[in-house]
Amino acid sequence: MLKILEQVRKPTLDIPVEERRKMWFKPFLRSYLVVFIGYMAMYLIRKNYNIAQNDMISNYGLSMTDLGLIGLGFSICYGIGKTVVSYYADGKNTKQFLPFMLILSGLMMIGFSLSMGGGGINIFLMMAFYGLSGFFQSTGGPSSYSTITKWTPRNKRGTYLGLWNMSHNVGGAAAAGVALFGSNYFFGGHVIGMFIFPALIAIVLGFIGLRVGNDSPEAYGLGSVEELFDEEISQEDLDVDEQQLSKRDIFVKYILKNKVIWLLCFANIFLYVVRIGIDQWSTVYAYQVLGFSKETAISGFTLFEVGALVGTLMWGYLSDLANGRRALIACIALGFIIVTLEFYQYATSEYMFLGSLFTLGFLVFGPQLLIGVAAVGFVPKKAISVADGVKGTFAYLIGDSFAKLGLGMIADGTPIFGLTGWAGTFAALNASAMICIGLLFFVAIAEEKKIRHAKRAHKKSKLAMTL
């Protein structure tokens, strides 16, 4: 394919590892900023759709089911791309994939804007452009996970990935301001400006990102991250090298036949029902049911992302303190989510609504991060992108799609659990959180076994060195 997407690997510099370790930070920071800012920009051209929903309803007479259908186009293409594009990305320069796909996604969002026209819309064209935008964005998360894992030591990975995970919270929180600014100052307040202006920003950032950083320390002749930080190579990586497994063999052995990955895939489905169910419909629920103003509804949406911004780093750091027990920490966060949903559903004041949205953002993105970090611990480096991609495929094709279309239909009157309207919607959210806890419980057991095995292996290694 394009040469810019190929891996660069240079011979290790003939200098002591201590000196190479000192040289590590600057190239790492450049690469880290590319995936951080690039993924943030992807959310500027994704979450503007949520912000524009009330205007699209009032300007074009769209129903919640119509909005759900347009969102469904994104979810399906995004979900398919998660596996298809990420499978190809493994073994390539994953850092370059993100800005390249950001540019293509931005171009699609300009097409999405034009499909609305001046006074009429074409829902099928909107679904197509929004769907293609989702396909191109699909490798953003997997490529970031792969790049950061190649650069960072294992005992700090939760913290670094947690910090990166803030990127989509920054993008989500900024999406409202950027969309409204573009609409009000360049398009006379028309909703089309909420899409064109952020898309132009994304395209510019994408071209800059292609010129900065690389996907691993080996691209600079610094050696592998394990060598730099005196870590043992994982058993999965050793097996892949010793057995000289092909990409297909790696996919079959470490993805298709990996029970833990499948548990994480299904847990991610139900987590996405909760996350997207809140994220997609909070502005509509606040305005139509709770009776708050559009400004308050948008503020709640923004605080959901701000809460995630505050919480996401903490959850990654806590999982590092817990010696890599990602699933256990995720279960704790999910328990608090079930409690907080009650405050959100029955909010009697603006402060109660805003506070519950902030708290839900703080809590939801903990499991969101930790499911991805947990998956990294059960696959070799050559399968990180596709491992994250596969769980993302299930999350978007089923969880995200249900949250956008299914919950919209329930809110419009389709019954579930014998309930209709928003009562049924919240019942689905609570049930999803409880099922997610049950699935992650089994992952927590697998993690505990892996952690204890690693401790025993480390003790044996140290003992052999002293003899």
Side-chain angles (χ1 to χ4, degrees):
M1 197 178 170
L2 293 174
K3 190 175 181 180
I4 59 171
L5 301 182
E6 296 298 321
Q7 267 187 349
V8 176
R9 293 293 181 265
K10 295 182 179 179
T12 303
L13 297 171
D14 188 20
I15 56 178
V17 67
E18 292 80 9
E19 294 299 317
R20 284 185 275 127
R21 189 181 302 134
K22 292 177 182 178
M23 299 167 62
W24 165 85
F25 183 72
K26 286 185 178 179
F28 161 67
L29 184 60
R30 288 195 293 268
S31 305
Y32 193 78
L33 286 174
V34 169
V35 296
F36 186 98
I37 295 173
Y39 202 60
M40 177 198 72
M42 285 185 171
Y43 270 71
L44 292 181
I45 55 175
R46 185 189 310 183
K47 293 304 176 185
N48 51 351
Y49 179 75
N50 302 57
I51 301 303
Q53 283 184 124
N54 282 321
D55 286 301
M56 293 168 77
I57 291 172
S58 58
N59 289 359
Y60 300 111
L62 296 178
S63 68
M64 286 183 286
T65 301
D66 291 330
L67 294 172
L69 279 171
I70 296 170
L72 182 64
F74 182 97
S75 299
I76 291 174
C77 294
Y78 189 87
I80 293 171
K82 276 279 190 178
T83 295
V84 173
V85 182
S86 298
Y87 179 85
Y88 181 81
D90 273 320
K92 304 293 183 182
N93 192 326
T94 50
K95 195 252 27 170
Q96 291 292 80
F97 265 83
L98 194 149
F100 181 69
M101 294 297 178
L102 177 62
I103 294 168
L104 297 179
S105 180
L107 293 173
M108 293 304 102
M109 289 310 293
I110 291 177
F112 177 87
S113 308
L114 298 178
S115 68
M116 286 191 285
I121 60 170
N122 188 317
I123 289 181
F124 294 106
L125 272 180
M126 293 171 74
M127 287 181 66
F129 279 117
Y130 200 38
L132 285 171
S133 177
F135 183 81
F136 293 131
Q137 287 192 33
S138 63
T139 193
S143 292
S144 297
Y145 267 82
S146 179
T147 300
I148 294 169
T149 300
K150 292 174 188 175
W151 272 103
T152 56
R154 197 173 295 115
N155 64 343
K156 299 291 184 183
R157 197 163 289 157
T159 301
Y160 281 119
L161 284 169
L163 182 60
W164 164 83
N165 204 52
M166 295 168 64
S167 63
H168 65 257
N169 306 129
V170 174
V178 172
L180 292 171
F181 179 85
S183 172
N184 293 331
Y185 285 88
F186 298 106
F187 292 88
H190 196 282
V191 67
I192 196 172
M194 295 187 184
F195 298 101
I196 293 179
F197 182 67
L200 293 174
I201 292 175
I203 292 169
V204 171
L205 290 174
F207 277 108
I208 294 172
L210 287 174
R211 306 287 297 178
V212 179
N214 224 308
D215 72 322
S216 74
E218 290 128 304
Y220 296 90
L222 301 178
S224 69
V225 69
E226 288 86 358
E227 182 183 355
L228 285 173
F229 293 95
D230 192 27
E231 288 185 336
E232 294 181 4
I233 299 174
S234 73
Q235 188 60 50
E236 290 84 2
D237 285 317
L238 288 172
D239 290 343
V240 167
D241 291 337
E242 289 175 2
Q243 299 172 29
Q244 296 183 331
L245 298 177
S246 66
K247 178 179 282 193
R248 180 184 178 279
D249 292 335
I250 293 171
F251 182 73
V252 171
K253 180 176 180 179
Y254 291 101
I255 306 299
L256 295 184
K257 294 184 178 181
N258 192 329
K259 294 178 182 178
V260 174
I261 295 299
W262 284 107
L263 284 169
L264 290 169
C265 283
F266 285 105
N268 214 31
I269 289 172
F270 291 101
L271 179 62
Y272 262 69
V273 173
V274 177
R275 174 193 157 187
I276 304 300
I278 299 167
D279 189 67
Q280 178 81 9
W281 300 112
S282 65
T283 54
V284 178
Y285 182 72
Y287 181 65
Q288 292 189 355
V289 180
L290 298 179
F292 300 133
S293 66
K294 289 183 181 179
E295 291 74 19
T296 299
I298 292 175
S299 295
F301 172 85
T302 303
L303 281 174
F304 180 73
E305 298 292 345
V306 173
L309 185 66
V310 175
T312 190
L313 178 60
M314 187 201 78
W315 293 110
Y317 178 67
L318 282 178
S319 73
D320 282 339
L321 289 180
N323 199 24
R325 292 174 175 84
R326 322 293 183 184
L328 177 63
I329 300 298
C331 287
I332 294 171
L334 282 158
F336 285 112
I337 287 170
I338 294 172
V339 175
T340 311
L341 279 171
E342 294 296 308
F343 290 92
Y344 167 43
Q345 181 178 2
Y346 299 109
T348 55
S349 68
E350 290 186 3
Y351 293 109
M352 188 174 176
F353 167 72
L354 296 175
S356 64
L357 263 292
F358 175 86
T359 305
L360 284 168
F362 178 84
L363 294 169
V364 166
F365 283 85
Q368 177 74 59
L369 164 71
L370 296 174
I371 286 176
V373 184
V376 167
F378 289 91
V379 298
K381 286 182 182 178
K382 292 182 179 179
I384 290 173
S385 288
V386 73
D388 190 69
V390 167
K391 72 178 184 59
T393 293
F394 277 81
Y396 274 87
L397 289 183
I398 304 174
D400 185 272
S401 298
F402 177 78
K404 287 177 177 174
L405 181 59
L407 293 182
M409 292 172 66
I410 293 169
D412 276 340
T414 302
I416 185 172
F417 305 135
L419 300 170
T420 58
W422 291 103
T425 299
F426 278 93
L429 294 177
N430 280 295
S432 297
M434 288 186 281
I435 295 171
C436 189
I437 291 174
L439 292 166
L440 288 177
F441 173 77
F442 292 102
V443 178
I445 294 173
E447 279 187 330
E448 189 64 32
K449 290 179 180 178
K450 192 175 181 69
I451 290 167
R452 294 187 181 188
H453 176 77
K455 283 184 177 179
R456 288 194 296 268
H458 184 69
K459 285 181 180 179
K460 287 181 181 179
S461 177
K462 291 295 183 182
L463 183 61
M465 292 176 63
T466 59
L467 296 176

